[in-house]
């Protein structure tokens, strides 16, 4: 039998890495009766459970196909895979539907649930340690049949056709987000603003897409029309200069069972014109809460959290220089791509053809005919060593050498 991994969905590395720094903002510690507990909302656990199901299915499909009748389940699957399989069976299909009522699950998750439910693995897992020896043997045999069916189902042409549109959409979203972010660095410095806009509990637009869509349109209108007037420097106002528009924005729309519809907003501004990232982010947050939603909105200011060291060294917001490769890597892998991650593991369904990922206009290239001293050509993570004279060209040339990557600042 062919033991090679079917050429299905190759998950992007940025999604496989544990880099969900900005998404852990709602995880906090609380002290009760002198004991400190880590509070993780159920929605975060369920979302992570979906991600683990995808990764577990990929790992199971990649394992060599070897089953000896005398081996135990742990010896068949491996210790880590066996632990992952046990955790994957904790939530039943009915519980997943309850937590994700407006979502379409990943094709790998649907295949895993179909094969596991057919062999009644969720029923065995619910019994826990109360299995008899005969039931444990049957449980092990059912897991073996599940894996066989999982491998067979993943090789079906119909399943591959189902995975391909999902794969293409995710690749298009992530590629477009990265290209759009890189295009912002036609400016030498870019001021990155990152906020989350949500609704308070009990507010009907939180679970009504038609109403939530109107609030998203109002937010986009504010970012394009009113925000440039609010953040315009007083000196330019006195000179009656036209407000400078924002360089661009990315808004990712997601739905959670606790928060409902919410928006991950990333703003890009010309760093040569603006510098107060925390103040601008606070202005956007307060406008969303008090003016757009009339007090029915809530927010999370990622720029303020970065200034107090909430994210440690993984800071990709604030002022980002064009040649700061360390910050730009965090910006691409954590800040901007986070808004597009929701459609990978469980895609929200609006029932219409509305976009769940919105972007501003593409930046135009800098006019080479305009004046100003051009930027010196230098390579990222290189330092100027010396000038060397060439006998052939009769000119001096610059010699560059490697240097240690710059460490991002925790505060601004």
């Amino acid at each position: 039998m062919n033991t090679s991994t079917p050429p299905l969905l190759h998950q992007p590395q940025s999604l496989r890495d544990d880099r969900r720094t900005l998404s852990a903002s709602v995880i906090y510690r609380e002290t009760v009766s002198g004991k400190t507990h880590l509070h993780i909302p159920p929605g975060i656990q369920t979302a992570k459970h979906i991600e683990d199901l995808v990764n577990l299915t990929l790992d199971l499909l990649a394992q060599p196909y070897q089953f000896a009748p005398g081996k135990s389940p742990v010896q068949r699957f491996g210790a880590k895979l066996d632990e992952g399989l046990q955790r994957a069976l904790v939530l039943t299909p009915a519980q997943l539907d309850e937590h994700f009522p407006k979502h379409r699950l990943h094709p790998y998750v649907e295949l895993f649930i179909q094969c596991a439910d057919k062999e009644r693995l969720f029923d065995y897992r619910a019994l826990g340690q109360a299995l008899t020896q005969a039931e444990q043997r049957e449980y092990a045999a059912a897991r073996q049949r599940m894996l066989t069916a999982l491998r067979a189902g993943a090789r079906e042409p119909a399943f591959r056709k189902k995975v391909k549109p999902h794969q293409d959409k995710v690749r298009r979203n992530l590629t477009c987000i990265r290209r759009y972010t890189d295009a912002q660095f036609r400016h030498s410095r870019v001021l990155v603003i990152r906020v989350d806009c949500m609704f308070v509990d009990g507010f009907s637009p939180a679970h009504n897409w038609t109403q939530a869509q109107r609030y998203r349109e109002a937010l986009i209108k504010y970012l394009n029309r009113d925000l440039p007037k609010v953040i315009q420097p007083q000196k330019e106002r006195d000179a009656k200069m036209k407000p400078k528009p924002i360089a661009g924005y990315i808004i990712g729309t997601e739905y959670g069972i606790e928060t409902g519809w919410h928006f991950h907003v990333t703003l890009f501004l010309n760093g040569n014109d603006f510098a107060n990232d925390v103040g601008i982010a606070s202005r956007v947050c307060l406008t969303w809460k008090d003016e757009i939603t009339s007090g029915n909105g809530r927010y999370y200011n990622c720029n303020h959290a970065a200034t107090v060291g909430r994210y440690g060294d993984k800071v990709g917001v604030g002022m980002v220089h064009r040649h700061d490769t360390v910050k730009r890597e965090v910006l691409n892998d954590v800040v901007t791509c986070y808004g597009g991650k929701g459609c990978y593991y469980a895609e929200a369904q609006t029932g219409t053809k509305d976009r769940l990922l919105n972007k501003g206009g593409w930046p135009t290239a800098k006019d080479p005919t305009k004046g100003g001293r051009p930027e010196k050509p230098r390579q990222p993570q290189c330092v100027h060593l010396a000038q060397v004279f060439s006998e052939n060209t009769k000119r001096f040339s610059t010699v560059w050498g490697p240097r240690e990557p710059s460490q991002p600042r925790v505060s601004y």
Side-chain angles (χ1 to χ4, degrees):
M1 182 177 296
N2 185 13
T3 61
S4 60
T5 306
L8 300 174
L9 179 59
H10 298 286
Q11 190 176 5
Q13 186 64 28
S14 60
L15 295 179
R16 296 296 301 272
D17 295 342
D18 190 11
R19 296 180 180 177
R20 295 178 301 277
T21 308
L22 293 178
S23 64
S25 57
V26 293
I27 300 177
Y28 61 90
R29 295 183 181 275
E30 58 181 354
T31 303
V32 179
S33 302
K35 296 183 179 180
T36 303
H37 304 277
L38 184 65
H39 175 77
I40 303 178
I44 295 295
Q45 293 177 345
T46 309
K48 184 64 170 60
H49 181 77
I50 295 295
E51 180 180 350
D52 292 339
L53 279 178
V54 177
N55 295 334
L56 174 66
T57 306
L58 291 172
D59 293 337
L60 290 175
L61 295 174
Q63 290 300 312
Y65 193 90
Q66 50 182 0
F67 288 128
K71 287 186 176 182
S72 64
V74 176
Q75 291 175 328
R76 293 192 184 103
F77 287 89
K80 292 185 178 181
L81 285 181
D82 186 75
E83 294 176 1
L85 183 61
Q86 294 294 332
R87 291 193 302 267
L89 299 174
V90 172
L91 293 180
T92 63
Q95 291 172 330
L96 286 177
D97 292 339
E98 179 183 357
H99 281 271
F100 292 96
K102 300 180 183 296
H103 285 70
R104 181 176 59 193
L105 297 179
H106 192 284
Y108 278 169
V109 177
E110 295 178 352
L111 178 63
F112 178 89
I113 293 176
Q114 177 184 355
C115 297
D117 193 28
K118 183 178 179 180
E119 299 295 338
R120 299 179 55 240
L121 294 186
F122 294 100
D123 298 336
Y124 284 111
R125 180 65 177 82
L127 296 177
Q129 302 295 331
L131 296 176
T132 63
Q133 292 186 355
E135 291 175 338
Q136 290 179 359
R137 289 193 297 268
E138 179 59 28
Y139 183 30
R143 290 163 66 181
Q144 178 177 345
R145 294 193 299 269
M146 184 274 297
L147 183 56
T148 303
L150 185 71
R151 291 175 180 272
R155 292 184 174 89
E156 290 292 335
F159 180 78
R160 297 188 185 185
K161 291 181 180 179
K162 186 178 181 180
V163 171
K164 191 178 185 303
H166 189 93
Q167 175 188 7
D168 294 341
K169 182 176 182 179
V170 173
R171 184 185 293 113
R172 286 195 306 268
N173 286 343
L174 296 181
T175 301
C176 189
I177 289 176
R178 181 176 291 272
R179 288 179 54 204
Y180 187 79
T181 304
D182 292 339
Q184 302 299 327
F185 287 92
R186 69 183 185 91
H187 304 293
S188 59
R189 296 183 301 173
V190 176
L191 191 67
V192 182
I193 310 296
R194 176 71 171 81
V195 297
D196 292 336
C197 298
M198 301 160 282
F199 301 100
V200 298
D201 296 337
F203 191 47
S204 58
H207 301 282
N208 187 313
W209 167 243
T210 303
Q211 299 178 12
Q213 187 181 17
R214 290 198 293 264
Y215 282 98
R216 186 184 65 177
E217 293 175 354
L219 176 62
I220 295 176
K221 184 177 181 180
Y222 166 76
L223 296 178
N224 289 324
R225 188 186 65 178
D226 298 332
L227 181 61
K229 301 177 183 179
V230 175
I231 63 178
Q232 185 182 20
Q234 186 63 38
K235 183 178 180 180
E236 296 183 0
R237 293 183 184 180
D238 297 339
K240 296 183 178 180
M241 298 177 60
K242 184 178 180 180
K244 298 178 181 178
I246 61 176
Y249 63 86
I250 298 175
I251 299 180
T253 304
E254 293 184 3
Y255 181 87
I257 187 63
E258 288 86 12
T259 58
W261 292 107
H262 55 281
F263 314 111
H264 303 286
V265 182
T266 305
L267 302 179
F268 303 99
L269 293 86
N270 187 354
N272 298 321
D273 299 330
F274 305 98
N276 186 10
D277 62 309
V278 178
I280 296 175
S282 300
R283 171 59 61 181
V284 174
C285 293
L286 293 177
T287 302
W288 165 260
K289 177 184 176 183
D290 299 331
E291 299 181 15
I292 298 179
T293 62
S294 302
N296 293 311
R298 56 193 180 97
Y299 59 85
Y300 181 78
N301 190 337
C302 299
N303 289 71
H304 178 267
T307 59
V308 298
R310 180 72 61 86
Y311 309 131
D313 295 336
K314 294 185 177 181
V315 178
V317 297
M319 191 67 71
V320 181
H321 195 274
R322 177 187 298 165
H323 298 290
D324 194 342
T325 56
V326 176
K327 251 187 183 179
R328 289 188 62 176
E329 181 181 359
V330 180
L331 174 64
N332 285 323
D333 294 341
V334 179
V335 180
T336 56
C337 285
Y338 181 73
K341 284 184 177 181
C343 65
Y344 185 82
Y345 300 105
E347 181 181 2
Q349 297 299 296
T350 60
T352 64
K353 296 182 179 181
D354 297 322
R355 290 178 177 267
L356 297 180
L357 182 64
N358 298 84
K359 300 182 297 299
W362 282 82
T364 57
K366 185 177 180 181
D367 189 359
T369 62
K370 291 187 176 181
R373 186 178 64 180
E375 184 182 11
K376 293 182 179 180
R378 65 187 180 96
Q379 301 175 0
Q381 299 200 12
C382 291
V383 62
H384 181 201
L385 295 181
Q387 294 280 346
V388 178
F389 183 78
S390 175
E391 293 293 343
N392 296 331
T393 60
K394 303 299 181 181
R395 293 182 180 180
F396 284 94
S397 59
T398 305
V399 178
W400 299 93
R403 69 172 180 180
E404 294 295 328
S406 60
Q407 296 297 325
R409 295 176 296 175
V410 178
S411 59
Y412 308 97

